[in-house]
Amino acid sequence: MTRAFSIPSSAPFLATLAHALLDGDLVPGFAPRGDPLALAAATIYLPTRRAGRLFAQALLEASGGEALLLPHIVPLGDVDEDALAFSEDAALLAPPRAVTGVHRRIALAGLVARWRDALAAGEGQAMVAAGPAATIALADELGALFDQMSTAGVDWARLDGLVPEEHDAYFEISLDFLRIARRAWDAHLVEEGAVDPAARRDSLVDAEVRRLAALGPEAGPVIAAGSTGSLPATARLLKAIARLPQGAVVLPGLDLDMEDTAFALLTAEATSAPDHPQFGLARLLGTLELERRDVVEIGVRAPHGRELLLSEALRQSETAELWATLATRLPPARKQAAFANIRVIAAQDPREEALAIALELRASLGHADRRAALITPDRDLARRVAAELLRFGIAIDDSAGEPLAETAPGRLARLLAKAVGEGCAPVPVFALLTHPDVHLGLEPEALREAVAALELVALRGPRPRTGVQGLSEAVAAFRREDLHGRDPRRRLSDEALDAAADLVARLDDALAPLSAWPDGAAVPLDELVEGHKAAFEALSGPLDPDADDPAAAALAVAFTEIASGAAAGPPLTLDAYADAISALFADRMVRPRAQAEERVRILGPLEARLVALDLVVLGGLVEGSWPPETRTDPWLSRPMRAELGLDQPERRIGLSAHDFVQAFGAREVVLTYPGKVGGTQSVPSRFLQRLATVAGEAEWTAAKARGEAWRLAAADLDAGPRVARFTQPAPKPPLALRPRKLSVTEIETFLRDPYSIFARHVLNLQPLDPLDAMPGGAERGSALHDALGAFAIAFPEDLPEDALGQLLAFGRTAFAKLEVFPAEHAVWWARFERVAGFVVEFERERRASLRKVVAETGGRLELHLPGGPFYLTGRADRIELRTDGQLAILDYKTGTAPSTKQGATFSPQLPLEAAMAARGAFANVPAAPVADFAYVELKGGAEPGREKPGVDEKTTATAMADEALERLKDLLTAFDDEAQGYRSLAAPQWRGRFGAYDHLARVREWALGAEEGGE
């Protein structure tokens, strides 16, 4: 006789199972209550180790706390040789054992990489994603396919029966690879003396089936509980247990309310519904050769009676017409009772959702005997909730733990690989050196000071040359005297520079084990892993698998396991290794050892199975999380999988639906979802939408109203007093602090944004270059100015015969500093070559009327103002001394030059330079009338260059210069009055463009929504 039972979802599963076992309800003649020794004769199979621990506790509680010998509790979900009862079969436990997961990932990644490289030589290169992370992801999917084929008992020879012509061309290629890969993998397993994990697991389970069958009555009481038999081998074990004389199977939440016809449709070939929560149990009953009516329900359903509600909400679409008669099966009073303790929180975004959940869990702690949990597959939401609870001093137990890659040691390991892989680029190096676990043999304060010096000397601005050697060269080449007088780096002491050089030397020694190989060289993976670990220990200290810090211990174990399988992996370059090691760390989790509040937890849907709770929060109820997205198999198409008899992707939806239903057994249930995720509108879970449909408008509105109170509480928690909008600043420093010297290029800034002048010259704040700044217009313009200036200085009067060659030679010298950016250098050098041809022709035309050219000359003009002398400075790109005794001034622009109207108003650089030149303010340039000034645009495009007039045709250069100087004097005189403030963005040129000091002026606050002027 086959014995099968079911515990309803609203009854506490493990407590009900414990009482039924002790009272003799499961196995006739076995009622060990009151006998502390009898229970030890039983064997209990449960889905997970966690369930086994909780069941032991439930037995103690059900026995009234009396001492007893526990039964043999065996976990099914993570079957292994130590846990199962098969240890009597010595031959079974001998090799071959299961290959480790990391060994398989690495070895299969090698197979995938070789396949992709072979395709790259043919026509299929665009079909397969490249990169180590994508390769490992494909290897994971390949390993999963191997497991699925083994689990389903599908012979690999059946792949030969698939007809490629009936499928996409890609799958024809993938089929060829699968046949080759399986043969290669089998050969590798033979060489290693191992088997696939799924094959090992199934062989263990099948051996247990044989053992139990052979024992018969001598097996004693054997009960399997809580499993849905989703794996065929597990289903066979459940069948063997159910047929034992003292065997029993206890199912979790079998739906006994569904119509027989509807239940039969679940597994019928034409109407199979793998996305239904009862699909797995229906299929298991078929394996057990039982009808649903043969299953006996044990335990008492909770008063709320939500089983029928969930059965109706998630019924398959083929029977959805029965909703029309819902009231006859689910009367309003019963539906109202089912919804009485359900709350729905429709949050605006994940942050608000997390805070509302945290408030719910915090409130549950006010009841000493209450246990609550957040159940969610969304790891981001779980981390948010844990962080929000810390605001209230509550450390919560997160069953999934924290990803190793996100822990401090894991981040350091990834940063180390990234820094070396990117040739010690400034951003990863700075992140590496500022990591709290990096010591390099220095005291913390000394390390901070050395990093700060290195940051200013080598990490900010354009990138140094590749490698630590590039950093060393940048430090050695640093000269304070070459910097602008206001550059903050001029204040660096010799001690600071020595500390930076010492830090680079220490970093070089630490990274040497991993950075010893040349860039672009393919290095064996095991050597990379060994070097990575050695470099990590040089930075942070030895790794110990028994360390007190669980993350450090986990990292030590990870390095050991990865190293054990690395020999089977493909050789990688340093940059590819950085991506690969991050992917290999990605699936490793770390459980903290800190004491957590035991009455509240964060559980994944799998971990939440069979756990009795008073309050359940189902979080992140949006499509993509509940249920998860259906992933397409990259190796076999849906028709191929169906032809082979493999599960379709929708099976994951059915498992997710079953977890959703089981969670409703708690007395109080809170359903939460965010309205937006990542800034885009979310789609509420299909489970939630079906539940709302069955609930009806009245009950659903009431449930949302109950949840709205918690959402409003979350919103109010961070609400502060209304702050008045910040107004446009206009600081008024004392006259003694106001600048008495400005350059001609700063006058435009003075006119448009006086606040920037205040910040730079009064507060003495100089903007720093960003870390690893990509060269932009400033660097290109500087190189071009250097080349043209050097050429003009070398040949001030007559051009050489090989003028173009000479100019290109100066250009190579000027552009050499940009060679570290090969892509930008190639583009800009090609543009400069076109510019050079234009400049030579331009020079030949102009030199005929010139006596001399003075380039890159500085000047200073003293202005006598009521408030005291003021000095206007400038550096002219080019001043021409004409044969008629007059002057002409040219300014080179690599961008768009100002118009003559702008030159007369907000961009007076050239008119002011003309005024200075006319008054003899420039070195090596005698005072003389200025006949003309103009811009030379040198963009190097289809039109390499052109001259753009700077003098308005309605006036003269002298008149424009004098007018610009008078306007400047008026401006300076106005600012000699302490009542005149340095207003932010007085006349901005561009709307939405922000300057170096606008964050100090809080422009985004007071200018939000305001109309900004522009030209």
Side-chain angles (χ1 to χ4, degrees):
M1 175 182 177
T2 300
R3 275 184 296 276
F5 304 88
S6 175
I7 297 177
S9 61
S10 62
F13 188 93
L14 295 177
T16 301
L17 179 65
H19 282 284
L21 176 62
L22 292 173
D23 294 336
D25 295 336
L26 300 180
V27 178
F30 183 73
R33 185 183 294 278
D35 185 348
L37 303 180
L39 196 59
T43 300
I44 312 296
Y45 293 89
L46 291 168
T48 63
R49 294 180 184 273
R50 172 189 283 268
R53 292 192 297 268
L54 294 174
F55 181 62
Q57 182 179 346
L59 281 173
L60 292 173
E61 293 175 356
S63 66
E66 297 179 359
L68 48 79
L69 289 180
L70 292 173
H72 185 203
I73 301 175
V74 183
L76 284 171
D78 47 358
V79 146
D80 61 31
E81 294 88 336
D82 298 326
L84 279 172
F86 339 146
S87 56
E88 300 170 8
D89 190 343
L92 177 66
L93 297 182
R97 302 177 71 85
V99 67
T100 63
V102 68
H103 182 109
R104 185 168 75 162
R105 292 183 85 193
I106 294 172
L108 292 182
L111 287 176
V112 172
R114 289 194 292 274
W115 172 57
R116 187 190 60 238
D117 293 343
L119 285 180
E123 300 178 354
Q125 64 270 27
M127 294 185 177
V128 183
T135 300
I136 291 175
L138 283 172
D140 289 342
E141 294 290 346
L142 182 60
L145 179 61
F146 287 173
D147 288 343
Q148 292 164 16
M149 295 281 283
S150 176
T151 298
V154 178
D155 191 331
W156 281 87
R158 290 185 59 187
L159 291 179
D160 298 331
L162 299 177
V163 183
E165 291 78 9
E166 298 177 358
H167 306 287
D168 186 88
Y170 166 80
F171 290 109
E172 181 177 353
I173 297 173
S174 73
L175 271 178
D176 291 338
F177 170 71
L178 287 176
R179 298 184 185 102
I180 298 170
R182 186 64 215 187
R183 288 195 295 269
W185 178 239
D186 285 343
H188 180 77
L189 289 176
V190 171
E191 181 181 345
E192 294 290 326
V195 294
D196 273 321
R200 178 64 175 171
R201 179 203 62 218
D202 289 352
S203 67
L204 290 171
V205 174
D206 289 339
E208 180 70 346
V209 170
R210 295 193 299 271
R211 186 185 74 87
L212 291 174
L215 286 175
E218 297 179 7
V222 181
I223 296 106
S227 174
T228 59
S230 56
L231 299 177
T234 305
R236 293 194 296 271
L237 176 60
L238 296 181
K239 180 178 181 180
I241 292 172
R243 291 187 171 185
L244 289 173
Q246 288 186 292
V249 171
V250 183
L251 304 178
L254 178 65
D255 188 348
L256 300 176
D257 297 308
M258 186 187 301
E259 303 83 3
D260 289 338
T261 54
F263 194 82
L265 290 174
L266 293 177
T267 53
E269 183 175 354
T271 57
S272 177
D275 58 348
H276 192 276
Q278 293 291 306
F279 174 79
L281 291 173
R283 189 166 61 175
L284 176 60
L285 288 180
T287 302
L288 298 179
E289 299 178 8
L290 290 175
E291 297 294 333
R292 190 171 49 143
R293 61 177 176 270
D294 299 327
V295 179
V296 177
E297 186 170 89
I298 57 175
V300 180
R301 293 191 179 192
H304 55 64
R306 296 196 190 110
E307 285 86 355
L308 180 57
L309 171 68
L310 271 298
S311 176
E312 289 289 347
L314 298 184
R315 68 165 56 249
Q316 65 267 51
S317 58
E318 288 80 3
T319 63
E321 72 278 359
L322 293 177
W323 277 347
T325 58
L326 177 64
T328 61
R329 297 183 303 279
L330 186 63
R334 189 171 179 181
K335 182 165 62 175
Q336 185 177 8
F339 262 92
N341 287 311
I342 293 178
R343 297 188 288 278
V344 179
I345 299 177
Q348 295 184 12
D349 52 43
R351 187 204 65 82
E352 186 176 80
E353 180 188 17
L355 185 51
I357 293 172
L359 291 177
E360 284 270 15
L361 297 177
R362 177 185 179 227
S364 73
L365 293 176
H367 306 273
D369 59 344
R370 206 172 184 204
R371 289 176 292 185
L374 163 65
I375 302 175
T376 180
D378 186 340
R379 296 306 309 151
D380 288 337
L381 177 62
R383 285 191 286 268
R384 284 177 182 268
V385 171
E388 295 291 355
L389 282 171
L390 287 176
R391 296 172 58 174
F392 311 118
I394 301 171
I396 192 169
D397 176 23
D398 186 349
S399 66
E402 182 180 10
L404 173 61
E406 297 302 324
T407 63
R411 284 195 299 270
L412 177 56
R414 291 191 297 118
L415 280 172
L416 168 58
K418 183 178 178 65
V420 174
E422 294 187 11
C424 290
V427 171
V429 165
F430 182 74
L432 180 68
L433 292 175
T434 54
H435 191 283
D437 290 346
V438 170
H439 309 304
L440 289 173
L442 296 171
E443 292 297 323
E445 185 62 29
L447 178 61
R448 282 193 294 270
E449 292 176 357
V451 171
L454 181 64
E455 174 191 354
L456 291 174
V457 171
L459 302 183
R460 290 191 175 273
R463 178 183 299 188
R465 291 188 180 274
T466 301
V468 181
Q469 184 62 31
L471 296 177
S472 181
E473 292 173 358
V475 174
F478 179 76
R479 296 288 183 273
R480 286 187 295 263
E481 55 271 19
D482 295 340
L483 302 174
H484 187 276
R486 290 182 175 272
D487 195 309
R489 292 174 294 175
R490 288 181 65 95
R491 297 193 289 271
L492 287 172
S493 65
D494 291 337
E495 292 78 8
L497 295 177
D498 291 342
D502 175 65
L503 177 62
V504 172
R506 291 172 181 267
L507 183 64
D508 192 14
D509 291 340
L511 300 186
L514 185 57
S515 61
W517 295 281
D519 290 339
V523 183
L525 182 57
D526 54 346
E527 295 182 25
L528 288 171
V529 175
E530 181 182 357
H532 189 186
K533 182 181 179 183
F536 182 96
E537 293 181 325
L539 285 171
S540 185
L543 281 168
D544 181 3
D546 298 320
D548 293 334
D549 179 6
L555 183 63
V557 172
F559 268 122
T560 300
E561 292 183 354
I562 293 171
S564 68
L572 297 172
T573 60
L574 288 173
D575 59 334
Y577 173 74
D579 291 338
I581 199 67
S582 294
L584 291 173
F585 284 160
D587 64 338
R588 294 176 176 268
M589 305 299 290
V590 178
R591 288 293 307 274
R593 295 174 186 165
Q595 292 296 321
E597 174 56 59
E598 295 181 354
R599 290 177 294 152
V600 291
R601 304 175 188 173
I602 297 177
L603 302 172
L606 178 62
E607 293 85 5
R609 293 177 182 176
L610 313 186
V611 177
L613 298 164
D614 300 294
L615 169 67
V616 163
V617 181
L618 297 179
L621 287 169
V622 294
E623 289 293 304
S625 291
W626 285 87
E629 293 181 353
T630 54
R631 297 199 308 264
T632 302
D633 187 343
W635 299 110
L636 294 175
S637 66
R638 292 176 65 93
M640 287 178 173
R641 291 182 64 89
E643 192 170 340
L644 292 173
L646 299 177
D647 279 340
Q648 293 296 337
E650 286 77 13
R651 181 71 186 104
R652 297 179 67 212
I653 298 177
L655 295 172
S656 179
H658 187 262
D659 293 334
F660 180 80
V661 171
Q662 289 295 100
F664 275 77
R667 189 175 68 86
E668 293 185 56
V669 177
V670 181
L671 310 173
T672 74
Y673 66 96
K676 287 187 176 182
V677 177
T680 59
Q681 195 71 30
S682 66
V683 178
S685 167
R686 66 192 70 180
F687 306 152
L688 203 63
Q689 296 184 55
R690 281 174 159 265
L691 192 60
T693 301
V694 170
E697 184 176 355
E699 293 298 338
W700 193 251
T701 300
K704 292 186 72 173
R706 291 190 290 270
E708 181 68 5
W710 292 94
R711 190 195 70 80
L712 292 175
D716 291 343
L717 189 63
D718 287 336
R722 185 176 180 83
V723 178
R725 187 172 179 177
F726 190 72
T727 57
Q728 188 175 15
K732 302 171 183 177
L735 293 181
L737 298 179
R738 301 192 179 202
R740 306 306 299 175
K741 181 177 74 172
L742 292 175
S743 69
V744 291
T745 55
E746 290 180 303
I747 299 305
E748 179 173 359
T749 302
F750 199 3
L751 290 166
R752 293 190 181 279
D753 185 18
Y755 186 90
S756 289
I757 299 299
F758 165 77
R760 180 184 293 272
H761 293 277
V762 178
L763 300 181
N764 199 27
L765 298 175
Q766 307 303 315
L768 294 174
D769 290 331
L771 291 169
D772 197 8
M774 292 296 294
E779 288 74 22
R780 180 181 58 180
S782 175
L784 185 142
H785 278 77
D786 290 347
L788 297 181
F791 178 76
I793 292 172
F795 308 105
E797 297 179 359
D798 298 320
L799 292 179
E801 292 185 4
D802 183 22
L804 180 59
Q806 292 287 344
L807 180 54
L808 289 174
F810 285 115
R812 291 187 188 94
T813 301
F815 277 82
K817 59 187 177 183
L818 299 176
E819 289 178 353
V820 70
F821 302 97
E824 290 79 2
H825 180 271
V827 173
W828 292 352
W829 177 251
R831 288 177 178 270
F832 179 77
E833 288 180 317
R834 292 192 288 270
V835 164
F838 166 81
V839 168
V840 169
E841 294 301 319
F842 180 77
E843 285 274 19
R844 286 176 176 151
E845 292 178 7
R846 294 187 71 88
R847 292 279 179 135
S849 60
L850 302 181
R851 291 189 296 109
K852 184 180 180 181
V853 171
V854 180
E856 298 297 328
T857 182
R860 187 174 83 159
L861 176 65
E862 181 177 352
L863 302 178
H864 300 283
L865 302 175
F870 186 94
Y871 298 95
L872 180 65
T873 64
R875 186 172 187 84
D877 290 347
R878 174 184 175 114
I879 300 179
E880 299 175 343
L881 281 62
R882 299 180 7 165
T883 55
D884 61 4
Q886 299 187 85
L887 304 176
I889 302 176
L890 296 182
D891 189 63
Y892 300 122
K893 296 291 184 184
T894 55
T896 301
S899 64
T900 54
K901 178 182 177 182
Q902 290 172 326
T905 53
F906 290 105
S907 302
Q909 176 187 345
L910 277 186
L912 290 176
E913 287 184 3
M916 293 174 64
R919 290 159 177 80
F922 284 105
N924 302 318
V925 178
V930 178
D932 190 21
F933 50 80
Y935 300 98
V936 181
E937 290 184 348
L938 301 173
K939 299 182 179 180
E943 184 183 26
R946 69 179 181 122
E947 182 180 355
K948 186 175 182 179
V951 180
D952 193 312
E953 60 183 10
K954 297 179 180 179
T955 184
T956 64
T958 299
M960 281 188 69
D962 292 343
E963 182 182 356
L965 189 61
E966 289 305 314
R967 290 180 68 245
L968 175 60
K969 290 179 179 179
D970 292 341
L971 176 67
L972 296 173
T973 300
F975 275 86
D976 278 340
D977 181 357
E978 286 192 354
Q980 176 63 52
Y982 288 79
R983 189 156 60 100
S984 174
L985 296 183
Q989 181 176 8
W990 308 109
R991 177 182 304 168
R993 184 177 298 178
F994 296 92
Y997 300 102
D998 288 354
H999 61 294
L1000 299 178
R1002 296 166 65 174
V1003 168
R1004 291 182 184 269
E1005 296 182 46
W1006 57 262
L1008 186 63
E1011 287 292 325
E1012 297 179 1
E1015 294 181 359

